[in-house]
Amino acid sequence: MDGREPGAQPRAGSGHRTVPHTADLQVEAWSATAEGCIGEVVRAVVDSFADLSAARPAGERACTVIAASDADLLAGVLEEVIYRMDADGELPAALALGAIRDAEGGRAMEVRFRMADTATAALVGAVPKAVSLHGLDLRASPGGWTGRVTVDV
């Protein structure tokens, strides 16, 4: 699955959309790079449940995500977002993703988050609980990269 409707023209630039899915949130994203696609998914998931426009800044966080595949990196970055929300009460207002590289028999990337205090954000939707591995996808396509993820809410 490349994230596009059958017969649809390739999308220009980068972006994301939510897709109807029973009792969960499903996001499709596209970008010129895998890293850009992961960033679009993170923005879509956070935007689906929180308005951070008036949230108080909470500092910066950095981590290295290591996974078996590019799709698993996507899941790993989202799991970090959910963990930071649960453990620290913070959500990413912005993020910077390093280049995906080979590491430890898998794939790795550096992630830097500029965080916002969740208590000062406006909740606008169902809060994510976990990333589902069912239907998880991140792949190169003719127009760039596409990704799909389902998040349990």
Side-chain angles (χ1 to χ4, degrees):
M1 184 72 173
D2 68 0
R4 293 193 296 257
E5 296 297 323
Q9 296 299 312
R11 296 178 176 127
S14 61
H16 58 263
R17 69 180 184 151
T18 58
V19 180
H21 194 272
T22 306
D24 292 321
L25 170 68
Q26 190 169 79
V27 173
E28 293 179 346
W30 56 95
S31 184
T33 65
E35 297 85 357
C37 197
I38 291 171
E40 286 295 327
V41 169
V42 170
R43 282 185 280 283
V45 169
V46 172
D47 289 350
S48 76
F49 73 94
D51 177 358
L52 302 178
S53 61
R56 186 178 68 228
E60 291 193 8
R61 306 285 180 252
C63 66
T64 301
V65 178
I66 300 171
S69 68
D70 290 344
D72 290 336
L73 275 178
L74 168 60
V77 172
L78 280 176
E79 288 168 350
E80 183 70 17
V81 169
I82 293 168
Y83 170 78
R84 295 282 180 181
M85 178 183 61
D86 289 342
D88 302 327
E90 300 174 348
L91 285 169
L95 71 157
L97 301 168
I100 296 172
R101 64 185 192 284
D102 292 330
E104 299 180 28
R107 308 288 277 157
M109 73 183 321
E110 303 298 320
V111 182
R112 292 189 57 79
F113 298 107
R114 189 179 72 223
M115 305 303 280
D117 182 349
T118 304
T120 62
L123 293 181
V124 296
V127 176
K129 304 291 184 225
V131 178
S132 173
L133 299 181
H134 179 72
L136 177 66
D137 192 29
L138 180 66
R139 70 175 68 192
S141 66
W145 283 76
T146 59
R148 179 182 291 214
V149 67
T150 302
V151 179
D152 300 330
V153 293

